[in-house]
Amino acid sequence: MAPTSKKDKYTVILPTYNERRNLPIIIWLLAKTFEENSLDWEVIIVDDASPDGTLQVAQQLQKLYTLARIVLKPRSGKLGLGTAYVHGLQFATGTFVIIMDADFSHHPRHIPSFIALQKEGGYDIVTGTRYMKSPEAGVYGWDLIRKLTSRGANLFADTVLRPGVSDLTGSFRLYKREVLEEVIRRTESKGYTFQMEMMVRAKAMGFKVGEVPIGFVDRVYGESKLGGEEIVEYMKGVLNLWWKV
């Protein structure tokens, strides 16, 4: 991996809802990845009042990894993915911010590749892609219907918006902190179209985006939160962006 400036620090924002069983695994992997690569880091956990005891598990992890590494910023209810990132970003102290899922579908082993590409190309944003032609890229654990839905969603958005990235619906990204702050201020969506809108607006604002192939694995524990309502919301979001951006 390319050398990292001593001043660089990486903040991971992890929104959680009913991730009690996944959280210890993902935090252990994050800590291992950062420590093995001699990187300064923190994880901000934004829990939306999970009824399964996710916050209590996070509090135990905070004792294990210290308050400096695990920052808890819970909210009073399930308020949406977009607002979770907005909330967590207020407390970030890193020069770079990583956003990813807490359900183990995004493996921290890809983070050094994100950082290396960012350093090499001076990118404002590095996004993980499941659809680049690479042995590293792919989707695992999904049935055919789910794969076709994801591919179709990306094809629809690419045709309508032409964003210039291969995986517009992906949610594993590295941002320069000031870039994320600027893009997030311009973003109107709060739900499942939030990630898509952020990327479309970032490209329209002229920010430089790099892509890293990733393997996406279906969640280890728990159930997917994606349903029919979210798919309809996504379709509306694409058309809304086409009109506005």
Side-chain angles (χ1 to χ4, degrees):
M1 192 176 71
T4 302
S5 169
K6 290 183 179 179
K7 68 178 181 180
D8 287 336
K9 181 177 180 179
Y10 295 87
T11 297
V12 179
I13 300 178
L14 276 186
T16 59
Y17 186 76
N18 287 347
E19 301 291 358
R20 177 179 62 85
R21 298 177 72 183
N22 291 317
L23 195 57
I25 303 172
I26 198 70
I27 294 295
W28 180 78
L29 286 168
L30 283 167
K32 181 174 183 287
T33 298
F34 286 125
E35 296 299 335
E36 287 181 350
N37 289 276
S38 302
L39 299 168
D40 193 9
W41 62 281
E42 66 181 358
V43 178
I44 298 177
I45 298 172
V46 182
D47 185 65
D48 276 4
S50 298
D52 74 338
T54 297
L55 181 58
Q56 287 70 36
V57 170
Q59 289 167 340
Q60 293 301 311
L61 292 170
Q62 194 175 48
K63 293 177 182 178
L64 180 63
Y65 292 98
T66 76
L67 299 177
R69 297 300 190 195
I70 307 299
V71 181
L72 306 183
K73 296 298 176 182
R75 302 191 295 176
S76 60
K78 196 173 182 183
L79 303 175
L81 184 63
T83 59
Y85 289 125
V86 173
H87 181 70
L89 185 58
Q90 299 176 73
F91 308 100
T93 62
T95 49
F96 292 88
V97 178
I98 296 166
I99 59 176
M100 61 188 295
D101 294 343
D103 62 8
F104 199 48
S105 55
H106 297 146
H107 201 296
R109 71 183 174 86
H110 295 295
I111 289 175
S113 297
F114 281 47
I115 295 172
L117 182 64
Q118 190 283 319
K119 297 295 180 189
E120 179 184 337
Y123 291 103
D124 300 303
I125 304 167
V126 175
T127 183
T129 174
R130 299 162 287 183
Y131 303 125
M132 182 182 288
K133 289 184 179 179
S134 167
E136 284 285 326
V139 177
Y140 307 95
W142 280 2
D143 59 24
L144 181 60
I145 298 298
R146 188 77 186 272
K147 287 181 179 180
L148 288 174
T149 299
S150 178
R151 277 286 197 175
N154 273 282
L155 180 60
F156 176 64
D158 186 63
T159 302
V160 174
L161 301 171
R162 302 200 175 278
V165 294
S166 62
D167 192 352
L168 194 58
T169 61
S171 54
F172 191 3
R173 296 176 185 163
L174 167 71
Y175 288 85
K176 290 180 179 178
R177 179 181 170 178
E178 65 272 16
V179 170
L180 179 56
E181 288 172 338
E182 188 171 348
V183 172
I184 220 166
R185 278 196 297 267
R186 304 277 189 93
T187 302
E188 299 174 3
S189 303
K190 302 302 179 188
Y192 282 87
T193 58
F194 182 79
Q195 301 282 16
M196 174 188 67
E197 182 179 346
M198 283 211 301
M199 184 57 67
V200 171
R201 290 194 181 277
K203 293 285 284 187
M205 293 162 69
F207 290 121
K208 189 177 179 183
V209 180
E211 292 187 295
V212 168
I214 63 167
F216 179 93
V217 181
D218 197 15
R219 61 170 40 250
V220 177
Y221 299 113
E223 298 179 355
S224 172
K225 302 172 183 73
L226 180 65
E229 289 184 8
E230 286 74 27
I231 293 172
V232 172
E233 178 190 342
Y234 175 83
M235 303 287 280
K236 289 180 178 177
V238 170
L239 294 175
N240 188 49
L241 275 175
W242 174 77
W243 180 260
K244 291 183 175 181
V245 177

